[in-house]
Amino acid sequence: MRRRALLAALAASPLIATTAGCSVGERVDTGDGNAAGPAGGGAFVAAISAEPDQLDPHKTTAYASFQVLENVYDTLVVPNGKTLEMEPSLATQWETSADGLTWTFRLVDGVTFHDGTPFTAADVVFSYKRIIDQKLANAARFATVADVTAPDDRTVVITLKRPTPNLLSRIGGFKGMAILSKDVDEKTLATKANGTGPFSLQGSSASEISLKRFDDYWSRAPKLGGVTFQFLPEPAAALTALTTDQVQWTDNVPPQRVASFKDDESVDLGEVASVDYWYLAMNCAKAPFDRVEVRRAIAFAVDREAVTEAAKFGTARANQTAIPQGSEWYYDYAPFRRDLDEAKRLLQQAGVSTPVTMGLMVTSDYPETVTAAQVIASQLEPLGVKVDIQTEDFATWLDREGRGDFDAFMLGWLGNIDPADFYEDQHRTGGANNYQKYSNPVTDGLLDRAAVEPDKAARKTLYEQAAKQIVDDVSYLFLYNPDAVQVWKKGITGYEVRVDKAVDFGTLALPTRGDS
């Protein structure tokens, strides 16, 4: 998504090691007051918490991948970093037919891919049909699309089967909808990238990925000579690297350290309420979690406030639905409270005798899942549910999730924009991201109606009804909405934390020599 760096996906082949970027901190003057590394790479080093699973934007849904791809690819439209309203990108303007079934997009002139190939409407058609025809990760976003055509090199027409009020967020919400060259070698997309974005891929290794400035970028050439993403899963290591000037930016910030950075004159702290949510999902295809009474029992035994405080130290707000309170789509519904008597009654109603063991899969690449799992384990123990915390590296976590090899797991969805992003693919029967195998025809019907409802108020009501059913059935046990927290070295300009957590370094500038 420009945004959505979703945190759940099938694992793909690992990145192949190629040429590594320059050493950390090595910089030369480019003559424009900014620093750049050799060959324009390695000028700016960012520490992220996980290694991308792959670089094919149409197949990955891992956040670490999109942190990199955000800077390499473009979409037709993009969300504003503060309001999330959709704005022009590769499409300069668009119009909709009176019946809402035909959308016509005019494309920007003079755009080239990183390999020098001109960008045309045929590339858009290829990219969208690739997702649709191969049923890739985001194919559901095109569920209402009848056809995508290119009347000429600068025009794309999307014809719909039925009105789709959120089409712009569907095609521009994040880099999973990136535009690829029609001439791309699809066999290499997992490890190579050829976009139209501000930076091009320079090389990768087991510990980092380096990008270099694309001087022919169609919008405005970035001020940085390049960007290197280092993979530092341990927050302590990321902060040490920041304080010793080995990296200039990180989002791998322990929540308990956020307050201390507010008075640290060597760094700038960026903190905004995000549109993310974190949750626990139980496997609805596996006994005893296939019983709604069992899932509800666990929901009644969890104290979300305690989990939120332990995991986020005041940088998140407990919520029993997905959409955060500051959103116009927020739905105030909180049916669960910690009530062990009710939880025990529900287990008895389900015919489940205790003790019950629940394997809870978390990942060390996102330490808050480990902390939250420990709290939840202590809360479920009096219920007679023994939690077996299974801590995996992210690649293993993704693989197990995709194969359904879990009792329960914890993670989050990031960068959501439209209410469909919060609920549709995750909770519709057979949805692309419905790894927990939840199925309820009532929910399906409400989501189907909401997806095509043109009236905003009516659409909000439908999504509220769907959210109520999802919460009542505990398809997800929603926990909290976190803040987006990032820290960077003092003197850096042109960068802001986005509410959708998209990491865009295209306008960032390092301090000139002599600046503090």
Side-chain angles (χ1 to χ4, degrees):
M1 322 164 237
R2 185 148 170 137
R3 87 183 165 54
R4 212 164 72 162
L6 306 184
L7 286 177
L10 296 176
S13 57
L15 296 174
I16 297 172
T18 58
T19 307
C22 73
S23 60
V24 174
E26 182 179 0
R27 297 190 290 176
V28 297
D29 201 330
T30 64
D32 60 0
N34 288 287
F44 175 78
V45 185
I48 58 177
S49 59
E51 179 181 2
D53 66 331
Q54 62 164 305
L55 295 180
D56 186 339
H58 294 168
K59 291 185 177 180
T60 185
T61 55
Y63 181 46
S65 297
F66 285 115
Q67 287 180 292
V68 176
L69 297 176
E70 179 70 30
N71 298 276
V72 175
Y73 286 100
D74 288 313
T75 46
L76 281 193
V77 293
V78 294
N80 179 282
K82 293 181 179 180
T83 67
L84 298 184
E85 292 294 323
M86 304 309 295
E87 299 176 341
S89 182
L90 290 176
T92 60
Q93 56 183 319
W94 50 90
E95 57 190 31
T96 310
S97 62
D99 61 5
L101 296 179
T102 303
W103 291 61
T104 303
F105 295 85
R106 310 296 178 188
L107 306 184
V108 67
D109 289 318
V111 177
T112 62
F113 287 92
H114 297 151
D115 66 357
T117 305
F119 160 72
T120 70
D123 300 308
V124 180
V125 173
F126 164 78
S127 299
Y128 288 174
K129 288 193 172 181
R130 177 181 187 247
I131 296 172
I132 295 169
D133 294 344
Q134 296 183 30
K135 297 180 172 60
L136 300 182
N138 297 297
R141 289 175 169 262
F142 291 112
T144 62
V145 173
D147 201 5
V148 184
T149 58
D152 58 61
D153 282 351
R154 302 264 67 82
T155 307
V156 171
V157 176
I158 298 179
T159 306
L160 304 175
K161 304 171 188 175
R162 53 188 184 273
T164 307
N166 63 338
L167 181 66
L168 292 181
S169 67
R170 283 175 176 259
I171 65 173
F174 72 119
K175 291 303 183 286
M177 308 304 291
I179 304 304
L180 311 181
S181 168
K182 66 182 184 303
D183 300 320
V184 69
D185 180 358
E186 295 188 58
K187 296 178 181 178
T188 68
L189 274 173
T191 57
K192 296 183 179 180
N194 179 33
T196 61
F199 297 95
S200 63
L201 179 67
Q202 183 178 30
S204 65
S205 70
S207 60
E208 65 182 39
I209 288 179
S210 58
L211 310 179
K212 62 181 178 180
R213 175 171 57 202
F214 183 42
D215 290 327
D216 294 327
Y217 183 49
W218 60 272
S219 179
R220 182 180 180 183
K223 296 179 179 180
L224 293 174
V227 178
T228 295
F229 291 88
Q230 288 195 345
F231 318 137
L232 297 177
E234 289 295 329
L239 293 185
T240 297
L242 182 74
T243 57
T244 57
D245 294 326
Q246 297 178 69
V247 305
Q248 288 79 50
W249 176 98
T250 187
D251 64 346
N252 196 0
V253 183
Q256 61 269 35
R257 290 290 307 277
V258 171
S260 68
F261 283 117
K262 293 179 180 178
D263 298 321
D264 189 334
E265 295 183 355
S266 68
V267 299
D268 282 326
L269 172 69
E271 182 180 6
V272 298
S274 76
V275 288
D276 307 346
Y277 66 88
W278 290 69
Y279 64 98
L280 181 152
M282 289 168 272
N283 194 335
C284 299
K286 189 173 183 179
F289 311 105
D290 57 340
R291 299 292 302 272
V292 66
E293 295 89 352
V294 174
R295 301 196 301 274
R296 287 177 60 83
I298 290 172
F300 271 112
V302 171
D303 181 344
R304 288 166 182 75
E305 295 287 352
V307 173
T308 303
E309 181 58 28
K312 301 302 292 185
F313 287 84
T315 63
R317 286 142 299 283
N319 190 4
Q320 294 195 31
T321 59
I323 301 177
Q325 191 166 359
S327 169
E328 62 181 327
W329 300 99
Y330 172 68
Y331 174 43
D332 186 7
Y333 183 61
F336 299 111
R337 64 207 177 281
R338 182 164 168 79
D339 186 338
L340 287 177
D341 290 338
E342 177 65 8
K344 291 175 181 178
R345 186 191 70 78
L346 285 165
L347 284 184
Q348 185 177 25
Q349 180 180 327
V352 174
S353 58
T354 56
V356 173
T357 298
M358 181 176 76
L360 181 52
M361 187 173 67
V362 296
T363 173
S364 53
D365 288 352
Y366 296 95
E368 66 190 89
T369 63
V370 180
T371 303
Q374 292 167 345
V375 176
I376 289 172
S378 68
Q379 292 175 350
L380 295 186
E381 186 176 3
L383 181 60
V385 175
K386 175 178 172 53
V387 176
D388 174 22
I389 300 175
Q390 301 166 354
T391 305
E392 308 282 12
D393 63 79
F394 196 38
T396 303
W397 190 101
L398 289 167
D399 178 62
R400 288 186 58 189
E401 181 204 38
R403 291 187 289 108
D405 178 25
F406 60 86
D407 292 338
F409 66 79
M410 290 184 59
L411 214 59
W413 285 96
L414 280 67
N416 311 283
I417 295 178
D418 187 82
D421 300 333
F422 289 89
Y423 296 121
E424 188 167 306
D425 291 347
Q426 301 93 322
H427 305 286
R428 183 194 298 277
T429 301
N433 298 305
N434 186 348
Y435 298 104
Q436 75 279 16
K437 304 301 181 187
Y438 167 70
S439 178
N440 186 326
V442 174
T443 305
D444 293 345
L446 290 166
L447 291 173
D448 286 343
R449 290 167 58 196
V452 299
E453 173 56 59
D455 181 79
K456 191 171 184 178
R459 191 166 180 252
K460 185 175 189 296
T461 298
L462 288 168
Y463 276 116
E464 288 177 349
Q465 293 171 350
K468 181 179 185 303
Q469 192 67 57
I470 290 164
V471 171
D472 287 345
D473 290 343
V474 198
S475 173
Y476 279 0
L477 197 166
F478 297 104
L479 295 170
Y480 56 81
N481 301 113
D483 292 340
V485 180
Q486 299 164 15
V487 180
W488 55 91
K489 299 299 290 186
K490 206 76 171 180
I492 286 174
T493 58
Y495 181 79
E496 291 185 346
V497 180
R498 297 170 54 100
V499 298
D500 60 0
K501 263 187 180 172
V503 176
D504 182 359
F505 293 134
T507 58
L508 184 148
L510 296 173
T512 57
R513 281 189 169 86
D515 289 349
S516 58

